[in-house]
Amino acid sequence: MLDKVKKLIEYYEEVLSMPHRQEIARELRNEDDLFLLLLYSEMIGIPNPVYYYTLELYPYMIEKFHDWHLRMGMEKSPLTGIRCC
């Protein structure tokens, strides 16, 4: 009986989230864009007080950089130190 209730709750949550998947994906993408802007802001001339701490994240975020700069409307990489195109 408890197993059926759990399945019913999972189904209910799935039905509720289905129409909002695109909105959730868009919001997650916007958050990623903002995070990448903060991460690379010092390199494009925007002062970043936590620049020293964000240097540790560069190796993990470099894979997403190409998609990010294309979404931001930049055809080529705006950073001279990072070549992705």
Side-chain angles (χ1 to χ4, degrees):
M1 180 68 181
L2 187 60
D3 194 37
K4 288 182 181 181
V5 172
K6 286 182 181 180
K7 286 183 181 181
L8 181 64
I9 291 172
E10 288 175 8
Y11 176 74
Y12 178 73
E13 289 177 358
E14 183 71 25
V15 168
L16 286 179
S17 69
M18 195 172 296
H20 304 289
R21 287 182 193 261
Q22 288 181 339
E23 294 173 31
I24 292 169
R26 187 179 324 115
E27 286 300 318
L28 287 174
R29 192 170 47 247
N30 287 343
E31 286 180 10
D32 281 348
D33 290 346
L34 179 62
F35 179 71
L36 285 171
L37 177 65
L38 291 173
L39 184 68
Y40 296 113
S41 63
E42 189 73 28
M43 294 178 123
I44 58 176
I46 302 171
N48 182 358
V50 293
Y51 176 70
Y52 177 76
Y53 300 106
T54 59
L55 286 174
E56 296 176 3
L57 300 173
Y58 280 20
Y60 302 106
M61 302 308 289
I62 196 70
E63 297 171 5
K64 295 182 178 184
F65 180 75
H66 178 70
D67 294 331
W68 174 75
H69 82 77
L70 291 178
R71 270 197 315 273
M72 295 296 112
M74 301 176 233
E75 292 180 18
K76 302 276 184 182
S77 172
L79 308 176
T80 56
I82 299 175
R83 303 207 187 267
C84 64
C85 299

